């Protein structure tokens, strides 16, 4: 009985430690994302502002507008990724390639 109680208590302690570790990882991830947002959102806002100006300036030039639209879509993807990371309650791990390795991803919508 003592052995089973000891094993049970050891497992409970292990599970608690794993939970604390996951909570700390999640907290650290949120802090990193908030710092990244802080440093990326201002330049991103300026890019989007100038893209609007470029659209008006080159309103009749389809080729230029197409390229501006691609930049705008990429900028919005960055913004969306930052929002997704900051609002995620959990993260998934995805293996990208041998050079990069595994990366954290917000859950897919």
């Amino acid at each position: 009985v003592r052995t089973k109680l000891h094993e049970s208590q050891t497992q409970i302690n292990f599970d608690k430690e794993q939970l604390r570790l996951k909570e700390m990882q999640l907290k650290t991830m949120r802090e990193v994302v908030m710092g990244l947002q802080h440093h990326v959102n201002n330049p991103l806002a300026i890019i989007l502002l100038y893209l609007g100006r470029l659209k008006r300036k080159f309103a009749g030039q389809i080729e230029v507008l197409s390229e501006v639209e691609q930049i705008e879509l990429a900028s919005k993807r960055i913004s969306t990724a930052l929002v997704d990371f900051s609002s995620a309650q959990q993260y998934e791990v995805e293996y990208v390639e041998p050079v990069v390795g595994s990366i954290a991803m917000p859950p897919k919508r």
Side-chain angles (χ1 to χ4, degrees), residues 25 35 78 86:
Q25 288 173 336
I78 294 169
S86 68

Side-chain angles (χ1 to χ4, degrees), residues 56-67:
R56 287 188 298 277
K57 185 175 183 177
F58 296 102
Q61 299 182 28
I62 302 300
E63 187 175 311
V64 173
L65 288 177
S66 175
E67 292 176 5

Side-chain angles (χ1 to χ4, degrees), residues 13-97:
N13 289 339
F14 178 78
D15 292 344
K16 284 180 181 180
E17 186 60 34
Q18 290 298 311
L19 182 59
R20 277 195 294 270
L21 178 64
K22 295 291 182 189
E23 288 172 344
M24 187 171 29
Q25 288 173 336
L26 187 57
K27 181 181 177 195
T28 301
M29 183 68 129
R30 284 193 184 122
E31 289 171 356
V32 169
V33 169
M34 287 173 49
L36 189 60
Q37 277 183 309
H38 176 72
H39 290 286
V40 171
N41 279 337
N42 189 39
L44 199 55
I46 293 168
I47 290 168
L48 291 170
L49 174 72
Y50 278 95
L51 288 174
R53 290 181 182 179
L54 287 172
K55 282 182 174 182
R56 287 188 298 277
K57 185 175 183 177
F58 296 102
Q61 299 182 28
I62 302 300
E63 187 175 311
V64 173
L65 288 177
S66 175
E67 292 176 5
V68 167
E69 193 70 31
Q70 291 302 314
I71 296 169
E72 185 175 34
L73 288 172
S75 299
K76 288 180 178 178
R77 282 182 46 216
I78 294 169
S79 180
T80 300
L82 289 172
V83 168
D84 288 349
F85 268 105
S86 68
S87 64
Q89 296 298 315
Q90 63 183 24
Y91 296 95
E92 297 174 357
V93 176
E94 184 175 297
Y95 183 78
V96 180
E97 59 183 64

